[in-house]
Amino acid sequence: MRATLKAERQGDQAVVTGAGTWLVDQADWLAVRLRRLPVRLAGVRQVSLDLGGIERLDTSGAWLIARTERRLQDAGVEVTTEPPQGPGDADLLQHVRSLPLAHPRLAEPPGAVVALLGRVGRAMEEAGRLAVALLGFYGAIFLRTAAALARPRQIRWTALAHHIEQTGLGAVGITALLSFLIGLVMAWQGATQLVRFGADIFTVDLLAIAVLRELGVLLTAIIVAGRTASAFTAQIGAMVLNEEIDAMRVIGIDPIDTLVLPRFFALLLAMPILTFIADAAALLGGAMVVLFELNIPWVQMVGRFGEVATLTHLLVGLVKAPVFAFAIALIGCWNGLRVERNAESVGRMTTQSVVASIFLVIVVDALFSILFVRLGI
Amino acid sequence: MADLDPIIEVQGLVTRFGERTIHDGLDLTVRRGEVLGLVGGSGSGKSVLMRTILGLLRPSAGTIRLLGADLASLSRDKLVALRSRTGVLFQDAALFSTLTVAENAQVPMRERFGWPKSLLAEMACLKIALVGLPDDARDKYPSELSGGMRKRAGLARSIAIDPEVLFLDEPTAGLDPIAASAFDELILQLSRTLGLTVVMITHDLDSLMRITDRVAALINGRAVVAPIDELRRLDDPWLRQYFGGPRGRAALEAGQAAG
């Protein structure tokens, strides 16, 4: 069964006859024809809508009728409507007519360039807002740290120990294993090039400097960013979701004292140790290649290593560890506290934590490189 | 008013999960145009019954005729077509969280008819106005809405393509009394103006009193169906507790005072 629509005009009067089933599956067909109606009937002063032949009507059909009436009236046409005869249909039509319905704004999609500019602008505004908020959080951490140092009894030692275990001890295995493998690969790649020049022994130099200054700490930071920044965000975020943070504030506990500071200092302490372990593991991996692939006697290798690997190189690497830890903990905890009260937001913030903290670690590392070059270290 | 044309016929329905029998020879007829309340204790199989009628669950035995078609004999395509003549409001509205309210209401229309954008937008506006949401709610995301508004938005989506029968799973649960009464009124008004048949799972005695034509109580795997006034007088231990408790009495008194 289909809807039908017929329009006849005589001078400045017209009769529009609708019949059939005016249901939702006919809406597209009807909408197109009814939209053309005011154009087709241009110049007509009186329209009588004879809808008595409509057998079935639903809200879609009723809306199309109401919309057509309104458009004709807006064009200055006098409309008289003979409503459909089905039970309740006239009431339905009347109800739909009475709805306070503003016309849908069909926003024209902006052009590609405008859309791009809009996106860039919004992103910049958001970035600026976030930078200010992050700075505020950074300041709050310093204030609370000062307050905690003034009253050391209030420091949450148990929480601190727990987080050192979680972020430090828990990461030893994965950090050592990955560093060992990277050291192995590095030495292998270096050695295959250096052997061609008969400079096998310089594999030790390559490895010692690269691992101690850059690789050990960077690798540790990236593992910790993936492992710990996400954990911080998810843990704190789940508490926000559960209104635990609000509960703490109401009881008079500062969430920065209980949640943020222990995580912060735990990571600050654990990162240098993890970095040291990573350094050792990577060097061990490299040593495997030097000893068993290049067949350099171990006495010679250790001697060469002793000459190359100065304390400066080790410290250049280690000094970065707490700074990276700071960046990772800052991002992880801050994003956790920014979680909104819906489950989706925990996932989004956790992802963002990992990406942002790895980004920050690499940027800070680049800044350190510039600094060390300028200082001549 | 309800005529006697059955829109849902359930005969001898048996549902078993492992050892547990949920429905044991359940019979239920829903008439066109009526508002049927579905009550029962926790675990009595109200939601299971709704899912079975929608063809989301396969019964262990028995036949179900929805809008005149036997569910067991339908092909996948026919079942999909049949489901598009039904609307469901799930308990927490189940709005798609990545879409705005208007886009949510457009989903069924777009999937079913593939209308042009202007018609989609127009029809979404209509449905949103029908459920009594303000214009500025259209472009909001579900997370920005209050509980009552979310339910209304869910209702807008479930009536998007003018279903003949509407299933509501605890529509007033979690709403404050004012929002709950307003929602009851809305359902009543929609069922009258749109000629909707409504099957409503609810624990809300005020809703039952206010808007149902008949009530089906699921007791021991079977359905006892009657207008609420008759149901109250039946001699059944569960029904006596249900209507005889302090909440039940208060709702009944309020209902009688009002009606």
Side-chain angles (χ1 to χ4, degrees):
Chain A
M1 198 54 183
R2 292 188 55 99
T4 59
L5 185 69
K6 221 167 48 195
E8 286 167 19
R9 67 184 287 182
Q10 286 178 330
D12 64 352
Q13 297 195 341
V15 179
V16 177
T17 318
T21 57
W22 284 42
L23 297 182
V24 63
D25 55 349
Q26 304 286 315
D28 195 11
W29 187 88
L30 280 169
V32 172
R33 271 147 199 83
L34 287 170
R35 189 171 299 135
R36 287 197 211 123
L37 209 55
V39 182
R40 279 178 57 195
L41 299 181
V44 168
R45 301 250 309 285
Q46 281 187 326
V47 172
S48 103
L49 285 173
D50 179 9
L51 306 174
I54 293 178
E55 288 152 37
R56 289 175 67 197
L57 184 72
D58 64 9
T59 52
S60 313
W63 160 245
L64 291 174
I65 295 169
R67 187 191 72 175
T68 308
E69 287 172 349
R70 209 177 293 175
R71 288 207 179 151
L72 286 169
Q73 280 159 357
D74 287 348
V77 180
E78 195 182 309
V79 183
T80 48
T81 307
E82 174 67 28
Q85 300 303 314
D89 284 354
D91 292 342
L92 173 63
L93 183 55
Q94 194 49 45
H95 179 61
V96 169
R97 275 192 198 125
S98 70
L99 288 175
L101 199 60
H103 241 292
R105 299 174 303 278
L106 261 191
E108 281 291 310
V113 178
V114 176
L116 181 70
L117 282 176
R119 267 214 304 281
V120 170
R122 266 196 295 276
M124 288 302 290
E125 193 193 340
E126 176 77 2
R129 215 172 46 73
L130 287 185
V132 172
L134 185 60
L135 200 65
F137 184 62
Y138 180 82
I141 285 174
F142 274 99
L143 280 178
R144 295 313 304 172
T145 305
L149 290 178
R151 263 184 264 162
R153 281 167 172 280
Q154 286 194 347
I155 298 176
R156 320 253 159 181
W157 297 108
T158 323
L160 184 68
H162 169 77
H163 287 297
I164 291 177
E165 188 195 336
Q166 293 280 307
T167 61
L169 203 57
V172 167
I174 184 86
T175 314
L177 179 65
L178 288 183
S179 303
F180 178 82
L181 292 175
I182 292 284
L184 204 84
V185 170
M186 275 277 300
W188 215 306
Q189 295 295 335
T192 42
Q193 302 302 319
L194 292 169
V195 161
R196 287 200 248 163
F197 307 103
D200 320 17
I201 192 67
F202 286 106
T203 307
V204 177
D205 296 45
L206 167 79
L207 205 66
I209 293 176
V211 166
L212 291 182
R213 290 185 74 109
E214 288 290 341
L215 270 185
V217 67
L218 207 53
L219 205 60
T220 311
I222 289 172
I223 294 168
V224 168
R227 201 180 163 276
T228 306
S230 57
F232 284 178
T233 307
Q235 289 161 359
I236 297 177
M239 295 172 99
V240 172
L241 207 60
N242 203 17
E243 296 183 297
E244 287 174 57
I245 307 288
D246 295 333
M248 283 183 188
R249 288 209 175 100
V250 169
I251 296 171
I253 302 170
D254 190 327
I256 291 188
D257 287 354
T258 48
L259 299 177
V260 177
L261 290 187
R263 286 180 169 80
F264 234 87
F265 286 100
L267 201 59
L268 230 45
L269 290 172
M271 265 287 275
I273 302 172
L274 281 177
T275 304
F276 190 79
I277 294 171
D279 284 351
L283 289 174
L284 188 68
M288 293 287 144
V289 175
V290 173
L291 287 177
F292 301 115
E293 193 61 27
L294 299 177
N295 290 319
I296 291 170
W298 76 271
V299 182
Q300 200 187 342
M301 182 189 79
V302 172
R304 180 78 198 165
F305 181 75
E307 284 171 39
V308 181
T310 59
L311 188 63
T312 314
H313 288 322
L314 179 68
L315 289 182
V316 161
L318 282 183
V319 82
K320 292 192 254 185
V323 181
F324 290 171
F326 192 92
I328 293 168
L330 188 74
I331 297 282
C333 294
W334 185 55
N335 276 338
L337 289 171
R338 279 171 61 212
V339 163
E340 291 154 32
R341 292 213 50 207
N342 60 69
E344 188 199 341
S345 145
V346 180
R348 203 174 52 235
M349 284 301 163
T350 305
T351 316
Q352 211 183 55
S353 271
V354 176
V355 176
S357 55
I358 290 179
F359 173 81
L360 206 58
V361 160
I362 291 176
V363 169
V364 171
D365 190 53
L367 293 178
F368 265 117
S369 295
I370 298 172
L371 180 73
F372 289 142
V373 168
R374 285 290 161 93
L375 290 177
I377 301 172
Chain B
M1 240 338 10
D3 53 39
L4 300 178
D5 179 13
I7 205 157
I8 299 167
E9 277 182 287
V10 179
Q11 275 171 356
L13 174 69
V14 180
T15 312
R16 282 193 203 93
F17 292 134
E19 293 289 290
R20 239 160 54 99
T21 303
I22 310 282
H23 303 132
D24 188 11
L26 182 145
D27 297 320
L28 178 67
T29 305
V30 182
R31 300 167 190 157
R32 187 174 289 277
E34 76 173 335
V35 178
L36 180 85
L38 203 53
V39 300
S42 302
S44 61
K46 304 179 295 283
S47 295
V48 173
L49 179 60
M50 183 181 97
R51 285 165 183 275
T52 312
I53 293 172
L54 287 164
L56 296 172
L57 285 176
R58 202 165 267 280
S60 309
T63 57
I64 293 162
R65 297 178 70 81
L66 174 59
L67 298 162
D70 185 353
L71 283 189
S73 67
L74 287 180
S75 66
R76 216 188 94 84
D77 289 346
K78 289 254 178 62
L79 189 63
V80 170
L82 192 66
R83 278 201 198 127
S84 75
R85 293 165 63 192
T86 64
V88 186
L89 173 63
F90 290 97
Q91 214 176 87
D92 291 313
L95 289 167
F96 302 122
S97 54
T98 53
L99 303 179
T100 62
V101 170
E103 287 165 344
N104 260 289
Q106 289 173 11
V107 169
M109 313 174 194
R110 206 174 45 213
E111 288 303 308
R112 183 97 181 102
F113 299 117
W115 285 340
K117 266 193 187 149
S118 58
L119 186 61
L120 281 176
E122 220 174 276
M123 287 298 178
C125 280
L126 168 69
K127 306 296 161 163
I128 289 165
L130 272 173
V131 298
L133 281 176
D135 282 343
D136 63 358
R138 283 194 294 232
D139 298 324
K140 285 190 178 154
Y141 286 90
S143 57
E144 299 169 301
L145 300 177
S146 69
M149 288 171 87
R150 255 206 301 278
K151 297 253 178 175
R152 281 172 190 259
L155 194 61
R157 187 180 69 187
S158 56
I159 61 167
I161 50 178
D162 285 285
E164 290 168 55
V165 53
L166 182 64
F167 293 89
L168 308 172
D169 193 352
E170 304 224 11
T172 53
L175 299 187
D176 66 73
I178 298 170
S181 310
F183 203 82
D184 283 346
E185 289 306 315
L186 175 67
I187 292 166
L188 195 60
Q189 184 204 26
L190 286 179
S191 82
R192 284 191 185 145
T193 49
L194 313 188
L196 276 173
T197 308
V198 178
V199 178
M200 176 171 77
I201 298 176
T202 188
H203 280 300
D204 189 337
L205 281 156
D206 295 313
S207 301
L208 283 178
M209 287 300 300
R210 180 76 190 91
I211 67 174
T212 58
D213 296 311
R214 293 190 306 158
V215 175
L218 298 191
I219 301 166
N220 301 326
R222 288 162 185 272
V224 182
V225 193
I228 191 159
D229 289 327
E230 284 176 38
L231 213 55
R232 274 164 55 200
R233 289 188 217 109
L234 290 182
D235 189 34
D236 175 272
W238 188 81
L239 284 176
R240 261 208 312 273
Q241 276 194 344
Y242 189 71
F243 291 113
R247 285 159 177 277
R249 277 204 303 274
L252 292 173
E253 278 158 22
Q256 272 155 1

